[in-house]
Amino acid sequence: MRKVGMILGLFITVIAVFVFINKLYYPSLPIDDISAKEAIDKIKESDSKIAEIAVESDSIWYITSSENKGISIADENIKQMIGSDGWEIKEKDGTALFFEKDGKRLIANTQMWTKKYVIVKVQNKFNKL
């Protein structure tokens, strides 16, 4: 009986380590091509406060840290990144930030993903890279 308890304990430990290493405890991302672990690794490896995590036909996805101070810090990171390419912030409506440049309009939608991270979907008109 004691062997069964030890084997069960070892099995539970292995499962817990696997879940922790692969960050399976994070909520799912709205993007199919990337895992939570890969997204977090990209922002941690990035020199800036925001990192590109996926490109789709009509949008680019970014991740930024909210630094435990809420979405306003993430908004500042987005404004700084998009503003550095000449886009000017015009308004904020809910979770969307509206920018303009040369008569064109760009929308960046934010989504609080976890307490520490915000996911940003920017129209493909913006191409930082």
Side-chain angles (χ1 to χ4, degrees):
M1 188 68 171
R2 188 171 182 184
K3 283 185 180 183
V4 171
M6 287 178 54
I7 292 172
L8 185 60
L10 181 62
F11 180 72
I12 290 171
T13 302
V14 168
I15 296 283
V17 168
F18 177 79
V19 166
F20 182 77
I21 288 173
N22 290 300
K23 308 225 182 289
L24 298 177
Y25 51 91
Y26 278 102
S28 62
L29 285 164
I31 314 149
D32 293 331
D33 299 341
I34 189 166
S35 70
K37 181 181 184 328
E38 292 169 321
I40 292 169
D41 288 346
K42 282 191 177 194
I43 188 68
K44 286 183 177 179
E45 293 168 0
S46 175
D47 293 334
S48 65
K49 297 176 185 175
I50 192 164
E52 183 180 299
I53 56 174
V55 177
E56 295 178 339
S57 62
D58 63 341
S59 58
I60 304 170
W61 290 88
Y62 296 92
I63 186 170
T64 185
S65 174
S66 63
E67 300 177 9
N68 290 331
K69 295 178 183 170
I71 202 157
S72 62
I73 295 295
D75 287 351
E76 291 304 315
N77 293 343
I78 297 161
K79 289 177 191 177
Q80 186 177 28
M81 178 189 71
I82 295 176
S84 70
D85 197 40
W87 292 90
E88 185 179 328
I89 183 78
K90 289 298 178 184
E91 66 178 294
K92 178 179 174 162
D93 185 16
T95 60
L97 294 135
F98 297 90
F99 297 86
E100 285 186 7
K101 175 182 170 182
D102 300 329
K104 294 182 181 177
R105 191 169 183 135
L106 176 74
I107 302 171
N109 289 301
T110 61
Q111 176 183 345
M112 195 74 167
W113 180 50
T114 69
K115 190 165 67 172
K116 294 182 180 180
Y117 301 103
V118 174
I119 303 297
V120 185
K121 182 179 181 182
V122 180
Q123 291 175 313
N124 215 2
K125 295 176 195 174
F126 175 71
N127 191 0
K128 184 68 176 150
L129 302 175

